[in-house]
Amino acid sequence: MFKKEGERGGAVGDTIIAMGVKVEGEFASDGNVVIEGEIVGSVHAAQDLQVGDHARLTADVTATNARIAGEIRGNVTVLEKLELLATSRVTGDVHAKVLLVEPGAQLNGRMTMGAPVAVTVEEQEAVVTERLSALVSGGRGAKGHGTPSA
C-alpha cells in the first residue's frame, strides 16, 4: 500500500501532517496522506491514507486504501482495503471493499463491505432510500411478518 523508504513514485508526493499539527476544514490530497496530528473537518486522499497511533481525527474520511492506528470520529469510506490496527478506535460508519482488523481494534458503527461505495452524501442518501423502499415494499402483505392478522 505505501512505498518503502527511498522509493519514488509519480509526480504526486506524500502529504504528512505531523504530530502537534492541527488542521481544521476540508483537507484533500491527490496523493498519499500520512496523519500523525489532529484534523477536524473532512479528509479525502485520492490514494492511500495512513493514520498514526497518536493521531486524532474528528472527520469524515475517504481514501483508496487506509491503514488506521489512531482515533477517528466520523464516517470512513475506503474504495479498496481498510486495515484497522490494534491501537485503532473508529466511531462512525465504515464502508470498504476489504477489511482487515487486528485484535484490540475498536469499531463502533455500521460496517458495510464489498458493494460499490457511495461517496457523496447525495449518493449515500439515494442508496439508503432505495434500500428502505425495497424493505418496505417487500415486507407488505407477507404472512408471518408485521402484526398478526385476526
Side-chain angles (χ1 to χ4, degrees), residues 12-27:
V12 178
D14 292 351
T15 300
I16 300 172
I17 298 174
M19 191 180 304
V21 174
K22 181 177 181 178
V23 175
E24 292 185 18
E26 295 182 18
F27 178 82

Side-chain angles (χ1 to χ4, degrees), residues 24-38:
E24 292 185 18
E26 295 182 18
F27 178 82
S29 173
D30 289 337
N32 298 324
V33 176
V34 178
I35 301 172
E36 296 292 340
E38 183 177 354

Side-chain angles (χ1 to χ4, degrees), residues 83 90 147:
E83 294 180 61
V90 177
T147 48

Side-chain angles (χ1 to χ4, degrees), residues 2 12-13 15 27-33 43-49 61-66 77-80 119:
F2 288 93
V12 178
T15 300
F27 178 82
S29 173
D30 289 337
N32 298 324
V33 176
V43 175
H44 173 74
Q47 295 181 21
D48 298 337
L49 171 69
V61 174
T62 59
T64 299
N65 294 292
T77 302
V78 176
L79 299 175
E80 293 296 328
V119 238

Side-chain angles (χ1 to χ4, degrees), residues 2 4 7 13 26 55 63 75 84 121 141 148:
F2 288 93
K4 293 182 181 172
E7 287 184 30
E26 295 182 18
N75 298 326
L84 298 178
V121 172

Side-chain angles (χ1 to χ4, degrees), residues 54-115:
H54 295 292
R56 291 186 1 199
L57 284 68
T58 304
D60 288 334
V61 174
T62 59
T64 299
N65 294 292
R67 185 173 194 169
I68 311 299
E71 179 180 358
I72 297 178
R73 291 182 175 274
N75 298 326
V76 178
T77 302
V78 176
L79 299 175
E80 293 296 328
K81 182 170 70 171
L82 171 62
E83 294 180 61
L84 298 178
L85 304 182
T87 56
S88 67
R89 295 171 313 283
V90 177
T91 303
D93 295 342
V94 173
H95 189 118
K97 190 172 185 180
V98 175
L99 174 66
L100 300 171
V101 182
E102 288 186 356
Q106 296 177 20
L107 172 58
N108 296 301
R110 292 182 303 170
M111 177 65 216
T112 307
M113 290 178 56

